[in-house]
Amino acid sequence: MSKIMKSKFRSNCPISSALDVIGDKWSLLIIRDMMFADKKTYSDFSKSAEGIATNILSSRLLMLEQLGIINKGKLEGNKKTNIYSLTQRGQELLPIILEIAQWSDNNLNEHLKDGAKPFVNKFKSNKDDFIKNMYQYFATR
Amino acid sequence: MSKIMKSKFRSNCPISSALDVIGDKWSLLIIRDMMFADKKTYSDFSKSAEGIATNILSSRLLMLEQLGIINKGKLEGNKKTNIYSLTQRGQELLPIILEIAQWSDNNLNEHLKDGAKPFVNKFKSNKDDFIKNMYQYFATR
DNA sequence: GTTATTACTTGCATATTGCAAGTTATTAAT
DNA sequence: ATTAATAACTTGCAATATGCAAGTAATAAC
């Protein structure tokens, strides 16, 4: 039972292929936590509100790492805790996630967390600036 | 065995809730076909390159209809063929799909269909205009 | 040295998806 | 008017993915 991804793409359509890679139930939520909640460690992710199972978390982190979406590293002086971080490729998922948030705000807003609304509004008012600022923020941590 | 959706949201996070709704393996591909390939009927969708199983197609169309993302109708004089179309809510998924296409172009381009590249490039060059034109196009058909 | 933490793995139950083969109601062809 | 073909499904079962509870091994903290 190898952990190696099967890399089976359903077609050569770019949209379909992207969904083959990040279109599962959990990957984008892990990315979201890294982007907006500054989560970095296995136990950080396992504590998120949606309650990802640890076996799934483990397999997704490995998959995302193999895809070059996240990096796995350590802090000096600590051999226990793994620190996961977004690669460039992972950071570039930001616009997708923000558009999802906006759609949700427009169409499912009964489910919208109170704290998220100003965030989405700021994105709507100037998307390019908002994204640029977020990339800046990613770079400084 | 009712076909009624379970409406179980994992959390009150807008991103998570949106993914609970459109984050499965097939929904966005059906939407993609409606947007870019002008597909409208059950058999149109069942013929797409990714090969969706008919039982899954059936359950997704019902779910998308119940969510107000698509409409199900008929043409006058034809009692057989169902015509599915995007609602406003469904059309608003366009920016998400385009950002996914762009990410794929930047990061998985070995899988990119030849024909898709100019399309993505045009989107990149002016996103707002591109989206506006697409909405216009949706309105005229 | 004992206990707690971190990052997992394992086994098994449940849920979702995939595949092949029906079924029913129309519409088209002869 | 039959017969055949098409459209939109449903059904049953296999395969895969996810969910849940419990372990385990290696640090790190006390």
Side-chain angles (χ1 to χ4, degrees):
Chain A
M1 45 283 208
S2 90
K3 284 297 174 45
I4 294 171
M5 298 187 326
K6 281 185 295 183
S7 276
K8 215 191 142 221
F9 289 94
R10 286 174 285 180
S11 76
N12 67 341
C13 166
I15 296 164
S16 166
S17 297
L19 291 172
D20 288 335
V21 157
I22 49 137
D24 69 284
K25 247 184 123 173
W26 292 106
S27 295
L28 281 183
L29 293 186
I30 295 171
I31 308 291
R32 173 206 60 180
D33 284 346
M34 297 179 85
M35 288 179 169
F36 304 117
D38 205 23
K39 293 189 178 180
K40 309 173 162 59
T41 68
Y42 189 93
S43 59
D44 284 345
F45 301 124
S46 71
K47 282 170 204 147
S48 74
E50 292 83 13
I52 186 170
T54 57
N55 52 348
I56 305 294
L57 174 56
S58 179
S59 74
R60 283 307 165 283
L61 288 172
L62 181 61
M63 188 174 115
L64 291 171
E65 193 193 354
Q66 289 177 337
L67 289 164
I69 290 171
I70 63 175
N71 277 323
K72 183 180 187 174
K74 303 264 187 196
L75 294 177
E76 54 261 72
N78 185 331
K79 292 179 183 170
K80 187 160 64 162
T81 308
N82 291 322
I83 304 291
Y84 295 95
S85 59
L86 291 165
T87 62
Q88 172 75 16
R89 182 175 291 191
Q91 290 177 16
E92 284 182 21
L93 292 167
L94 177 66
I96 297 172
I97 291 177
L98 291 173
E99 290 294 348
I100 290 171
Q102 181 181 9
W103 183 85
S104 198
D105 183 37
N106 289 340
N107 297 291
L108 303 174
N109 55 40
E110 64 274 20
H111 299 288
L112 193 60
K113 251 194 295 210
D114 296 349
K117 245 185 183 332
F119 200 78
V120 175
N121 285 335
K122 205 174 171 208
F123 169 61
K124 284 183 188 177
S125 77
N126 190 331
K127 292 185 178 186
D128 286 347
D129 272 9
F130 188 90
I131 288 170
K132 210 167 289 181
N133 286 338
M134 286 291 299
Y135 285 152
Q136 209 70 39
Y137 171 58
F138 293 158
T140 65
R141 66 178 193 196
Chain B
M1 43 283 208
S2 89
K3 284 295 175 46
I4 293 169
M5 296 187 328
K6 281 185 295 183
S7 277
K8 220 192 137 219
F9 289 94
R10 285 174 285 182
S11 76
N12 68 343
C13 166
I15 296 164
S16 165
S17 297
L19 291 173
D20 287 335
V21 158
I22 49 134
D24 69 283
K25 246 185 124 177
W26 293 105
S27 294
L28 282 183
L29 293 186
I30 294 171
I31 308 291
R32 172 206 61 180
D33 284 346
M34 297 178 84
M35 289 179 169
F36 304 118
D38 206 22
K39 292 190 181 182
K40 309 173 163 57
T41 68
Y42 189 93
S43 58
D44 283 345
F45 300 124
S46 72
K47 283 169 204 147
S48 74
E50 293 82 12
I52 186 170
T54 58
N55 53 349
I56 305 294
L57 175 56
S58 180
S59 76
R60 282 307 164 282
L61 287 172
L62 182 62
M63 186 174 120
L64 292 171
E65 192 193 354
Q66 290 177 339
L67 289 164
I69 290 171
I70 64 176
N71 278 322
K72 183 180 185 172
K74 302 264 188 196
L75 294 178
E76 53 260 72
N78 185 332
K79 292 178 182 169
K80 188 161 63 163
T81 308
N82 292 323
I83 305 291
Y84 296 94
S85 59
L86 290 165
T87 62
Q88 172 74 16
R89 183 175 290 190
Q91 290 176 17
E92 285 182 21
L93 292 167
L94 177 66
I96 297 172
I97 292 177
L98 291 173
E99 290 295 348
I100 290 171
Q102 181 180 8
W103 183 84
S104 199
D105 183 38
N106 288 340
N107 296 290
L108 303 174
N109 55 39
E110 63 274 18
H111 298 288
L112 192 61
K113 250 195 294 208
D114 295 348
K117 247 188 181 332
F119 201 78
V120 175
N121 285 336
K122 204 173 172 208
F123 169 63
K124 284 184 189 176
S125 77
N126 190 331
K127 292 186 179 185
D128 286 346
D129 274 8
F130 188 89
I131 288 170
K132 209 167 290 180
N133 287 339
M134 286 292 297
Y135 285 153
Q136 209 70 38
Y137 170 59
F138 293 157
T140 65
R141 65 176 192 196

